[in-house]
Amino acid sequence: EEERGGPLPPSLIYATAAVLEGCSFVNGGSQNTLCGGLAELARQQRGVYCLGTDFKAGQTKFKTAAIEYIRTMGLTPKVVASSNHLGNNDMRNLATADKARMAKLRVKHDIFAPWEEDIDHKVSVMFTPMINDEKRDFVEYTSLGFLSQTHTMVTYTRASDSVLCVPLMIDAACWCDYFSNRSWPYDDVAKALAYLFKVPEGGAK
């Protein structure tokens, strides 16, 4: 534990057990479960995959669509400032564990990485127990238009965080079963299912 900088995450133990049993593991949360060793172990099993990280549901999925919409208006997105709060276990971990918080913010900040553009993406997260699983998300998009004039668009979202993720869980399970029965290569499956995640890992990068 001292060599790796802390105790072994329970999710990594669960993921390892799943792979050894011949079951695929999907990391729908934001924790840093997936690692090189786990991926290599999965590659040794035929038709077993380790996918993730963090389901792209709700506001995060809308953000990527909103950026494309802004571009179709002839604008250049420059700043995306987001504030979200809820009271589920995911947000509790952010409030109490530094490593979990860093993992979540890494995921949230990296969603625009594929564009390789200068988008200043800032995220603020808060744990509010009374809200429970009903996510509240406020996002301001600032862009530059003709003659560098600024354009600002604001969105507000309220939704059950868990309900948004359930269809993605079903999709992931069905696809893993489909690809496993056909023995698709690990990296090909990771790329095919990258759309499900905020930060695709492994062969999907």
Side-chain angles (χ1 to χ4, degrees):
E1 291 186 358
E2 292 181 1
E3 291 181 0
R4 66 181 313 279
L8 201 63
S11 58
L12 181 55
I13 297 174
Y14 182 90
T16 302
V19 170
L20 291 175
E21 288 294 322
C23 297
S24 295
F25 177 81
V26 177
N27 186 33
S30 57
Q31 67 273 14
N32 287 329
T33 300
L34 301 190
C35 60
L38 183 63
E40 185 58 33
L41 181 63
R43 284 186 174 92
Q44 296 173 12
Q45 317 290 321
R46 187 175 181 180
V48 176
Y49 315 105
C50 286
L51 307 173
T53 287
D54 207 349
F55 283 130
K56 182 187 278 189
Q59 189 58 36
T60 308
K61 180 175 288 187
F62 180 80
K63 278 182 184 178
T64 55
I67 290 297
E68 290 300 330
Y69 166 73
I70 289 171
R71 287 197 185 90
T72 64
M73 296 170 62
L75 303 171
T76 302
K78 301 300 290 183
V79 179
V80 179
S82 174
S83 173
N84 62 78
H85 61 281
L86 68 161
N88 63 10
N89 189 59
D90 192 27
M91 198 61 73
R92 180 188 293 111
N93 289 336
L94 294 182
T96 58
D98 289 339
K99 287 188 177 180
R101 182 177 181 84
M102 287 189 292
K104 186 71 171 182
L105 294 183
R106 172 187 69 89
V107 164
K108 287 184 173 292
H109 285 296
D110 284 359
I111 63 170
F112 297 121
W115 274 274
E116 297 181 351
E117 292 182 21
D118 182 25
I119 298 178
D120 187 5
H121 184 210
K122 294 293 189 297
V123 180
S124 172
V125 293
M126 294 168 283
F127 176 56
T128 50
M130 194 204 82
I131 301 301
N132 202 0
D133 193 54
E134 187 181 356
K135 176 183 285 188
R136 314 289 173 86
D137 197 290
F138 177 93
V139 186
E140 182 180 273
Y141 305 82
T142 302
S143 308
L144 294 180
F146 184 61
L147 296 177
S148 295
Q149 293 298 301
T150 58
H151 172 277
T152 300
M153 180 176 76
V154 175
T155 62
Y156 175 66
T157 303
R158 288 181 60 173
S160 170
D161 204 39
S162 298
V163 169
L164 290 172
C165 289
V166 169
L168 301 184
M169 295 177 188
I170 296 173
D171 281 355
C174 291
W175 279 122
C176 282
D177 182 64
Y178 176 86
F179 291 130
S180 179
N181 288 334
R182 288 156 181 78
S183 299
W184 269 45
Y186 183 96
D187 288 344
D188 289 350
V189 174
K191 291 175 183 177
L193 300 186
Y195 76 95
L196 293 170
F197 307 101
K198 294 171 186 170
V199 180
E201 306 278 1
K205 287 186 177 180

